[in-house]
Every structure is written in C-alpha cells, then in structure tokens.
Amino acid sequence: LRRFDGGLELRAAGHGKGDVVRAVLSEEEGDAVAACLGDDMTDEDAFRAVKGRGVALLVRPEWRQTEADAWIRPPDELLEFLHHWRDICNDER
C-alpha cells in the first residue's frame, strides 16, 4: 500500500504503472494512440511508457517537475481535454 493525497494505492510488488501501459499498448494495433493522465509520482513510469504512442498529461492544480508532455489543471482544463479527445476518437470511427 502507498499513501497519496486521495487515499491509498494498492500496488503489485515488482510492477509499476509503466508495466501496465506497456502491456495494454502491446495488445493494441500498431497505430493505436493512448492518453495517459496522472497526478502523482507513481504515474511517472507510465508517462515514460506512453512516449511515442500517445500523450502523457500531468493533471493537478499545482505544477511539479514531470516526465509528462503537458500539464493541465482540473477541473476545467481536464474536461476540455476529455471533450476534445472524445471528439477526435469519434471522428476516427
């Protein structure tokens, strides 16, 4: 268990969020694009793992040093991003 500002996070020993991102992307077609959104230090390995296959976004009210491609502040910027992402995904269908 690991504490974070929203509660507790249950993590598997020896595995991180980057492992999950790599596993999911390996099951998708080569041109599939992903968005990885996170807010804390445990998301940094996932941000690195999505590079080249999508965008990594730090989602939190305050800036901090990160591997993410961009920083967005919730809730307004997050909602705006999600609406744009939905529209882009619907256009691709």
Side-chain angles (χ1 to χ4, degrees):
L1 291 176
R2 181 181 175 131
R3 292 191 182 280
F4 70 102
D5 60 357
L8 292 174
E9 180 174 85
L10 178 62
R11 300 191 59 160
H15 298 283
K17 293 179 183 179
D19 299 318
V20 174
V21 169
R22 282 186 289 280
V24 169
L25 290 176
S26 73
E27 296 175 3
E28 294 300 319
E29 296 179 17
D31 60 351
V33 178
C36 182
L37 288 72
D39 65 347
D40 66 28
M41 295 306 292
T42 65
D43 298 308
E44 293 299 316
D45 57 338
F47 293 158
R48 287 186 292 275
V50 79
K51 300 287 183 176
R53 289 288 302 270
V55 62
L57 300 172
L58 178 65
V59 182
R60 54 184 285 129
E62 307 86 25
W63 162 256
R64 69 165 174 76
Q65 204 56 26
T66 182
E67 294 287 329
D69 300 308
W71 167 47
I72 58 177
R73 287 172 277 219
D76 295 335
E77 291 176 1
L78 173 60
L79 292 172
E80 182 179 352
F81 169 80
L82 292 173
H83 287 133
H84 286 294
W85 188 263
R86 179 202 58 206
D87 293 345
I88 290 167
C89 289
N90 286 337
D91 288 347
E92 293 295 317
R93 290 184 187 170

